[in-house]
Amino acid sequence: MSNKPHRRHHGDFTWEEVPVLAYKQDGTAPFRDVTRQVLFEDADLGCQLRYFEVAPGGHSTLERHQHVHAVMIVRGAGRAMVGNQVMSVELNDLVHVPALSWHQFRADADAPLGFLCMVNAERDRPQLPDAIALAQLRAQPEVEAFIRV
Ligand code: MN
């Protein structure tokens, strides 16, 4: 994308000339009702700032990877799992996802969950849980109740 100095917000969490993309374009990972927009991308910056929106009742992929996420909730409400912790998240909350931590975001049934997510521009591919990892996650009742795969 070009780096023009100003992109106007349309008022609905879309921005001038920023395409609203399918969350995982390759279709290899399970998720439901998530869109992705790349807001900033500049080789000199070394990171990307994206906006994700999970529709009411939807969820992101349960995954982990070496790269870190810095997340700020900017719309709606929901819950997140990071590592073995499940937390409710609301407007302006910050969520830090450390390297190799399993994580998933879910929107509440009656609200979208929109968040900014900063990541390294160059990053490893997400890993999905295998049967062993899933069994370890499911050994914790709160995690078992939360995750969607
Ligand atoms: Mn991730």
Side-chain angles (χ1 to χ4, degrees), residues 21-98:
L21 305 169
Y23 164 55
K24 308 264 189 190
Q25 285 173 305
D26 57 8
T28 56
F31 66 90
R32 209 180 102 191
D33 299 332
V34 186
T35 58
R36 173 172 68 94
Q37 298 173 74
V38 179
L39 305 183
F40 293 100
E41 184 172 45
D42 183 324
D44 292 335
L45 201 53
C47 66
Q48 285 184 348
L49 188 66
R50 301 90 50 86
Y51 175 74
F52 293 93
E53 191 166 299
V54 185
H59 59 84
S60 67
T61 304
L62 174 61
E63 64 180 26
R64 71 175 185 177
H65 34 67
Q66 191 65 49
H67 62 274
V68 168
H69 291 315
V71 169
M72 182 177 194
I73 310 299
V74 294
R75 183 179 203 181
R79 286 182 295 158
M81 186 196 75
V82 179
N84 55 11
Q85 266 193 286
V86 177
M87 60 206 82
S88 66
V89 292
E90 47 190 74
L91 208 57
N92 300 326
D93 284 358
L94 305 176
V95 180
H96 174 243
V97 178

Side-chain angles (χ1 to χ4, degrees), residues 89-118:
V89 292
E90 47 190 74
L91 208 57
N92 300 326
D93 284 358
L94 305 176
V95 180
H96 174 243
V97 178
L100 295 178
S101 300
W102 294 110
H103 56 282
Q104 187 164 47
F105 290 85
R106 290 179 56 188
D108 283 351
D110 59 354
L113 180 65
F115 54 91
L116 300 173
C117 178
M118 187 165 65

